[in-house]
Amino acid sequence: MDGPQVKSFVVWDYVVFAGLFVISSGIGVFFAIKERKKATSREFLVGGRQMSFGPVALSLTASFMSAVTVLGAPSDVYRFGASFLLFFIAYAFVIIFTSELFLPVFYRSGITSTYEYLELRFNKPVRYVATVIYIVQTILYTGVVVYAPALALNQVTGFDLWGSVFATGIVCTFYCTLGGLKAVVWTDAFQMVVMVVGFLTVLIQGSAHAGGLHNILEQAANGSRLNIFDFDVDPLRRHTFWTISVGGTFTWLGIYGVNQSTIQRCISCRTEKHAKLALYFNLLGLWIILVCAVFSGLIMYAHFKDCDPWTSGIISAPDQLMPYFVMEIFATMPGLPGLFVACAFSGTLSTVAASINALATVTFEDFVKSCFPHLSDKLSTWISKGLCLLFGVICTSMAVAASLMGGIIQAALSIHGMCGGPMLGLFTLGIVFPFVNWKGALGGILTGIILSFWVAIGGFIYPAPASKTWPLPLSTEQCLLPNVTELLPQELSSRPAIADTWYSLSYLYYSAVGCLGCIVAGMIISLRTGHQHSKDIQPLLIRPVCNLCCFWSKKYKTLCWCGVQHDSGTEQENLENGSAWKQGAESLLQNGLRQESLAHPTGYDPKDKSYTNPGLEKITHF
């Protein structure tokens, strides 16, 4: 067959879907009017650093649960089983590492762009290399996030492809440009609610169609979909306990823990305590979305167990399974298919808006302010708005380009993980290993990029053997189609020996390869070229993780600090009055940092036992 059987939307579906865009745009207009007197780039880009943890937590969850997750995760569970649920573990590790290792350093150093840290710790070239990598990978990923779900929904629901692509780009650009980060955060919070409601309607109606929860679990067990714990250590297997819990942690930490979009929301919180609460409440949101996606996949399997629409050719791609399922179960309920499409596009809107805002921030902080350090507040705000508009246009254009890529779309989707791993390794070198110098950092990031791209592109050209990646059995026994064709494993011929080993590595390990390659190379290069001197490093830039090993003696802790003073008295004193930054001005200027950036005092509130940002307003020049 040429494609899926298109079931058209009715008027109420379009009304529900349009409501999502109208409300999202309205939030942008509201904050543009409300904040019009606070015309500074800091208000626009980081919400004046006065956000509370609630909306930030919802925003974080919505931003990273894109339509790729809404459509792709249930499809993955349908085809490969509920082992996807093990991301429960990976998400927990990601949030713990982000909140306890990376966030305190970023928050207390008073930065706006995460890559500003790299200049403070190393030098400008390292910062610029990392910024360029981030901008390229975010634009590529955002384009695919817009196009891929629009294509899947178009081919199943008849929803206009280019209308939805351009509507997404225009609306995101509109409320990002008008309202800044506050508009993005509050719109994400609304979109998170829409996503959960959309999933719940599918779960309730789907369960009713499939005969209840007991029948769904029974059918899933009979189809081997509930074999969650597979402890096979083979790194070539697509999904096992180890690939998901270990590889998944590296993958998500690379695109989450040191990602500008995440950190920008966290540092917008009024205190460090609020930032950590936002991350931990966000973890609950990630778990909720994960459970909804897994059960949606199991319900789909119970519904299609005797006639799989993918292998039978009713639909042409696995991503179309979820919208096809929705159109079937809501066939007699106008408006509810529109609610699910709104759910999917809520993920798209939140992801694209977060990307546009983050791209504008890093470009302004890392390039514009470096070239023009004495811009007025008014001009800075207009430049920030202009950058949001520019990146909105670029990301929408990238969606158009994605339609011409064909098979390269799959490679583009992997770029986040391929770039995220080396980036994670780079920040880990700076925060955890005080002896690493700028040469090690630069060599490490380049090594990590080469390794992760090598394995990922090799895996794209030479797909792993079917025995490692082939889905669980899918039946077409009761499909009433005249030309049913069974999907057979791809014949693998003329493959180099490396294709069945290195190139067949599970995609979840791409990030780990890049991260570990960056760390190892960075440490070796630093030791060979002369390690970083402790007098050139401010304690706020290093996280003394060895302190967690309380059974270590003070001698060994001091050895691991490599001469950087991390005793509690000195550190708290520096945090309270910012003296560390002032005293270290001369040494930091050797790394190319301009004078006015050095006075970043980080306030310590003894009552709240937390760190707060308001003091930054007096000394940070925008």
Side-chain angles (χ1 to χ4, degrees):
M1 298 183 68
D2 295 331
Q5 298 170 344
V6 177
K7 301 180 181 180
S8 299
F9 267 26
V10 297
V11 174
W12 282 109
D13 295 318
Y14 284 106
V15 169
V16 172
F17 182 77
L20 169 72
F21 283 85
V22 170
I23 295 175
S24 297
S25 301
I27 293 173
V29 174
F30 172 78
F31 279 103
I33 296 172
K34 181 183 177 185
E35 308 290 329
R36 66 187 183 278
K37 294 182 180 179
K38 300 177 181 179
T40 66
S41 59
R42 191 164 76 91
E43 282 288 338
F44 185 81
L45 295 174
V46 291
R49 302 185 193 268
Q50 290 298 304
M51 301 292 291
S52 59
F53 68 87
V56 172
L58 291 173
S59 175
L60 284 169
T61 305
S63 294
F64 288 89
M65 293 288 108
S66 68
V68 174
T69 303
V70 174
L71 301 180
S75 169
D76 195 281
V77 173
Y78 172 84
R79 293 182 298 141
F80 296 97
S83 60
F84 202 86
L85 194 62
L86 292 172
F87 275 102
F88 200 94
I89 300 173
Y91 291 162
F93 280 124
V94 167
I95 297 303
I96 292 171
F97 280 122
T98 301
S99 62
E100 304 302 331
L101 178 60
F102 297 110
L103 173 65
V105 173
F106 293 138
Y107 194 93
R108 297 174 193 181
S109 56
I111 61 175
T112 300
S113 162
T114 53
Y115 308 103
E116 193 177 343
Y117 167 84
L118 296 175
E119 182 177 350
L120 291 169
R121 176 65 176 84
F122 300 114
N123 61 9
K124 281 188 176 182
V126 175
R127 175 182 182 176
Y128 291 153
V129 168
T131 302
V132 170
I133 292 172
Y134 172 77
I135 289 173
V136 171
Q137 63 126 339
T138 302
I139 290 173
L140 287 172
Y141 179 76
T142 304
V144 175
V145 163
V146 173
Y147 177 74
L151 178 64
L153 292 165
N154 162 260
Q155 293 182 341
V156 176
T157 66
F159 199 75
D160 186 76
L161 173 62
W162 294 113
S164 59
V165 166
F166 286 110
T168 300
I170 291 170
V171 170
C172 286
T173 305
F174 177 75
Y175 68 75
C176 282
T177 304
L178 279 183
L181 183 71
K182 285 187 177 180
V184 172
V185 167
W186 282 103
T187 307
D188 284 351
F190 161 69
Q191 289 160 359
M192 176 63 189
V193 174
V194 174
M195 289 172 69
V196 172
V197 171
F199 259 132
L200 288 177
T201 57
V202 172
L203 291 174
I204 294 170
Q205 183 69 4
S207 298
H209 269 256
L213 180 61
H214 176 75
N215 187 55
I216 291 168
L217 295 177
E218 184 178 349
Q219 298 293 345
N222 293 338
S224 303
R225 262 61 185 178
L226 295 184
N227 297 334
I228 297 174
F229 296 98
D230 180 355
F231 292 99
D232 187 352
V233 295
D234 183 1
L236 308 185
R237 291 277 305 280
R238 183 178 184 273
H239 279 177
T240 65
F241 175 85
W242 303 111
T243 56
I244 295 177
S245 59
V246 177
T249 298
F250 274 98
T251 300
W252 272 86
L253 196 56
I255 63 176
Y256 198 98
V258 296
N259 188 286
Q260 171 65 25
S261 183
T262 306
I263 301 304
Q264 187 171 340
R265 280 156 181 69
C266 290
I267 63 177
S268 73
C269 291
R270 58 172 63 104
T271 65
E272 184 182 330
K273 183 177 180 180
H274 271 263
K276 287 187 175 183
L277 283 173
L279 283 168
Y280 283 111
F281 274 91
N282 154 64
L283 177 60
L284 294 177
L286 293 176
W287 282 345
I288 291 170
I289 296 294
L290 177 64
V291 170
C292 288
V294 169
F295 272 97
S296 295
L298 296 178
I299 291 170
M300 274 202 300
Y301 177 75
H303 186 82
F304 292 128
K305 63 182 177 62
D306 296 322
C307 179
D308 172 44
W310 177 44
T311 53
S312 64
I314 297 175
I315 60 174
S316 57
D319 285 343
Q320 298 170 8
L321 278 165
M322 190 68 172
Y324 179 77
F325 173 63
V326 167
M327 293 303 289
E328 281 213 346
I329 63 174
F330 292 134
T332 59
M333 305 174 74
L336 290 182
L339 179 60
F340 173 76
V341 172
C343 166
F345 271 93
S346 288
T348 297
L349 286 170
S350 57
T351 302
V352 174
S355 297
I356 291 172
N357 195 255
L359 286 167
T361 301
V362 298
T363 303
F364 181 80
E365 291 291 329
D366 296 351
F367 294 115
V368 176
K369 281 181 66 178
S370 294
C371 298
F372 307 100
H374 303 296
L375 292 172
S376 65
D377 285 343
K378 186 175 182 180
L379 185 57
S380 295
T381 304
W382 280 107
I383 291 175
S384 301
K385 289 177 180 288
L387 288 171
C388 281
L389 180 61
L390 173 64
F391 282 115
V393 172
I394 292 174
C395 290
T396 306
S397 302
M398 189 61 218
V400 177
S403 69
L404 307 175
M405 286 183 178
I408 300 178
I409 286 181
Q410 181 182 346
L413 280 172
S414 301
I415 284 179
H416 234 358
M418 292 154 60
C419 294
M423 205 74 78
L424 173 64
L426 178 61
F427 281 100
T428 303
L429 282 174
I431 292 173
V432 179
F433 301 101
F435 65 88
V436 172
N437 59 25
W438 72 268
K439 295 175 183 176
L442 200 56
I445 184 70
L446 295 177
T447 302
I449 287 288
I450 291 170
L451 287 174
S452 59
F453 270 73
W454 178 23
V455 65
I457 293 174
F460 177 71
I461 297 173
Y462 298 103
S467 60
K468 306 292 184 183
T469 62
W470 198 242
L472 295 171
L474 296 165
S475 173
T476 58
E477 291 180 0
Q478 296 184 19
C479 292
L480 302 176
L481 295 172
N483 57 342
V484 173
T485 57
E486 186 176 354
L487 196 63
L488 297 175
Q490 181 181 357
E491 290 294 329
L492 303 176
S493 59
S494 65
R495 290 162 58 88
I498 196 174
D500 293 327
T501 52
W502 177 244
Y503 292 161
S504 295
L505 193 69
S506 171
Y507 74 99
L508 287 173
Y509 282 134
Y510 293 169
S511 188
V513 166
C515 177
L516 297 177
C518 175
I519 292 174
V520 172
M523 293 171 67
I524 293 174
I525 293 171
S526 296
L527 292 173
R528 296 285 294 178
T529 58
H531 62 80
Q532 181 84 11
H533 294 292
S534 60
K535 64 183 178 63
D536 295 332
I537 303 175
Q538 298 301 324
L540 288 177
L541 301 179
I542 305 295
R543 190 69 171 155
V545 292
C546 60
N547 285 4
L548 299 175
C549 304
C550 56
F551 53 86
W552 282 18
S553 68
K554 185 174 182 180
K555 174 184 176 182
Y556 288 116
K557 287 182 181 180
T558 306
L559 181 66
C560 290
W561 296 339
C562 300
V564 180
Q565 295 302 313
H566 274 299
D567 58 288
S568 57
T570 302
E571 186 173 11
Q572 179 165 322
E573 180 182 328
N574 288 339
L575 287 170
E576 289 177 349
N577 59 29
S579 62
W581 293 100
K582 297 171 186 176
Q583 293 170 1
E586 292 183 1
S587 61
L588 282 172
L589 278 172
Q590 293 173 2
N591 284 337
L593 189 64
R594 64 182 187 278
Q595 181 74 39
E596 62 265 29
S597 298
L598 297 171
H600 274 307
T602 308
Y604 179 76
D605 182 359
K607 294 182 180 179
D608 196 29
K609 294 183 179 180
S610 186
Y611 304 89
T612 184
N613 272 320
L616 292 167
E617 189 169 2
K618 298 178 182 178
I619 52 85
T620 306
H621 303 288
F622 285 90

